[in-house]
Amino acid sequence: MKFYLKFENYMINRLIYKLNLIANTVKYLKFQQVFYQIFYRLKNLARLKQNHHKHFDIFVTLKWKNGIHNLNTYNGGLSFKFINIEHDFTDRINWNEKSNNKLWLYNLSYFDYLNQKTITKKEGLFLIYDFIENYSILKDAKEAYPSSLRIINFIKFISKHNIHDPLILEVIKEDANRLSKNIEFHLLGNHILENGFALWFSANLFNDKRFYAISNKILKDQLNEQVLNDGGHFELSPMYHILMLYRVLDCINLNELNPNIHNEERISLFKYKASKMVSWLNRMTFKNGDFPLFNDSANGINPTSIDILEYAKALKIKNINIPLSDSGYRDFRTSKYELIADVGEIGASYQPAHAHADTLNFELYVEGRPIIVDTGISTYNLIDTRIKERSTKAHNTVTINDKNSSQVWSSFRVAKRANITIIKDSPKILNAYHNGYEDLGVTHSRQWSFNDNQITIYDSLNKLCEGKAHIHFHPKAIISLKKDIILVNKNIEISFENLTSIKLSNYFYNSELNKPISARKVELIFKKELTSIFKIK
């Protein structure tokens, strides 16, 4: 009897916990997101018929020249490699292939490889025609997000190779019509921007007034909202920032190559936003070309920072050099080191899908080499690994009782969030605190102080309790521990004040998806206060 009572209490507590989790997640959503979540679900259940217009009366011969090429993901024949997973189809391509995971299938459906440097016109057409042959049985490929990317890639490819095949044009028009009736209002964020970019390309290809009207409104509203005052994309992921900037630059490039496109107001907006986004990317790029792996960021997904910045330069986009502010990031640089710190809120508040519980996190490069790094991500799948990679202890900050500073859950959800207050923000000192542990009665404050050859990090808790600071080193960093002093690469010495104990262990560094690399980390146990002194020779 006692067992059943305990089990019943356990289940009731779990239900209450889950309901609180959902309530604290949903309260940040916009009404628009909730409405369209319900509307699209009901529409799918009812299988409402949509009157798409497969045929077109007119199309415009567009010119296209790649500003940059996409990454090589098509290996030739029936072989592809996405997110570090290679798959060889035996006799035919299964465009509904899900054995690798949905993200892999999405990548297959994006057709980014049509614009990789190594693909030929013949290979590209083979893949397009095979896709079209299976168009009627496609499932995930017809969702709004993969359709958006595919529309852009199809248009770029046929324009580059001067292809005027009615069959391909009909499929592009069908994709665009379906997309125009299924805009991702339920998600918003980078998804709705991709919808807008795709319809912008479609509008110019078909000279379609309806596509123009929809894309114009989306791009005007969303670029104004999603590009912050300092130029950062509001989801606060350097990877997604690069992807969105890439799209804006492609829109500018399309206009430059096709002077018959007349929409000066929109082109002016593209150029203005691009200049701000270029500024942010410059500030967030280390001098060796790396970008920090904050939030959901990985290499091998998008072009490099250097490629994007060169593309912008070729299009004569100005770098207006805006200091970092609204995005919550701060950069500090001397002749010896570069440090980028995170004192920002969870972003975006109503779309935190790519946010981590990483408040007061940082990355450190010394003499152009990565030393202290974000652990990155290896997967979007809902598994323990995803939960761990979004957790606070997977970042270079402080945990209390191994709790997360923000309540990340599932693959893309955040409930309660840490609120941050910046106390001092100057070229030599950055000081901020957050309330992510308020349920424990604890406030965590961190101050970075900078000199030419030294960085001092002071962590403090508002009451006498135990904290744990985490530092993750890059796999190529050579680490040795001598008593309570850490030596790194023979030119960096890290010492501590008020340290209780230190533990050196292993973790997995993920600079790319599905490519974990073993590396070293330290856990620093302290009570109330900890001073970490980084001396650089």
Side-chain angles (χ1 to χ4, degrees), residues 2 46 60 77 86 91 101 123 132 142 158 167 187 189 199-200 234 241 243 255 316-317 362 419 441 469 472 514 526:
K2 288 183 179 180
V60 177
E86 191 165 1
D91 55 347
N101 63 44
E123 288 174 319
I132 292 173
K142 288 186 176 179
I158 65 171
L167 183 61
L187 296 177
L199 290 176
W200 171 263
F234 77 161
H241 177 96
L243 289 172
N255 182 71
K316 298 180 181 178
I317 302 300
F362 71 98
N419 295 310
H472 299 82
N514 299 301
F526 67 97

Side-chain angles (χ1 to χ4, degrees), residues 396-527:
N396 303 306
T397 186
V398 170
T399 56
I400 310 295
N401 294 349
D402 288 331
K403 289 178 66 70
N404 289 327
S405 55
S406 290
Q407 206 172 11
V408 291
W409 65 286
S410 189
S411 290
F412 302 107
R413 303 283 183 263
V414 185
K416 291 183 179 180
R417 296 102 189 267
N419 295 310
I420 299 169
T421 301
I422 297 176
I423 301 169
K424 187 166 186 178
D425 187 0
S426 73
K428 293 293 184 181
I429 295 176
L430 176 62
N431 190 357
Y433 69 87
H434 74 87
N435 67 346
Y437 304 121
E438 65 179 353
D439 57 332
L440 300 174
V442 179
T443 298
H444 170 219
S445 172
R446 169 168 280 186
Q447 176 174 291
W448 292 266
S449 299
F450 302 95
N451 292 315
D452 289 344
N453 299 309
Q454 181 172 306
I455 303 166
T456 302
I457 299 178
Y458 174 64
D459 289 300
S460 66
L461 310 176
N462 66 327
K463 72 177 187 179
L464 186 61
C465 64
E466 186 175 274
K468 186 186 295 183
H470 305 263
I471 300 178
H472 299 82
F473 294 99
H474 188 270
K476 291 185 178 179
I478 301 171
I479 311 299
S480 61
L481 184 60
K482 293 185 177 180
K483 293 185 178 180
D484 291 343
I485 296 177
I486 302 171
L487 300 177
V488 188
N489 293 352
K490 297 181 179 180
N491 67 334
I492 305 166
E493 179 183 288
I494 310 174
S495 59
F496 306 95
E497 296 175 2
N498 302 319
L499 181 66
T500 301
S501 66
I502 184 169
K503 178 184 177 184
L504 188 62
S505 61
N506 293 330
Y507 81 98
F508 285 114
Y509 173 67
N510 305 283
S511 68
E512 300 180 23
L513 291 170
N514 299 301
K515 195 177 179 180
I517 301 171
S518 182
R520 304 290 273 168
K521 69 168 288 187
V522 293
E523 294 179 353
L524 310 165
I525 308 298
F526 67 97
K527 288 189 176 179

Side-chain angles (χ1 to χ4, degrees), residues 84-102:
N84 287 308
I85 300 174
E86 191 165 1
H87 186 90
D88 298 328
F89 293 99
T90 51
D91 55 347
R92 64 181 183 84
I93 298 172
N94 179 7
W95 297 98
N96 292 314
E97 176 64 52
K98 269 191 177 180
S99 62
N100 295 308
N101 63 44
K102 188 169 182 176

Side-chain angles (χ1 to χ4, degrees), residues 37-54:
Q37 282 279 4
I38 297 170
F39 174 74
Y40 285 148
R41 288 173 189 269
L42 291 175
K43 187 173 75 169
N44 289 334
L45 284 173
R47 293 190 175 96
L48 296 179
K49 185 177 179 180
Q50 297 179 14
N51 296 316
H52 296 316
H53 305 285
K54 293 186 178 182

Side-chain angles (χ1 to χ4, degrees), residues 42 227 377:
L42 291 175
V227 179
I377 55 169

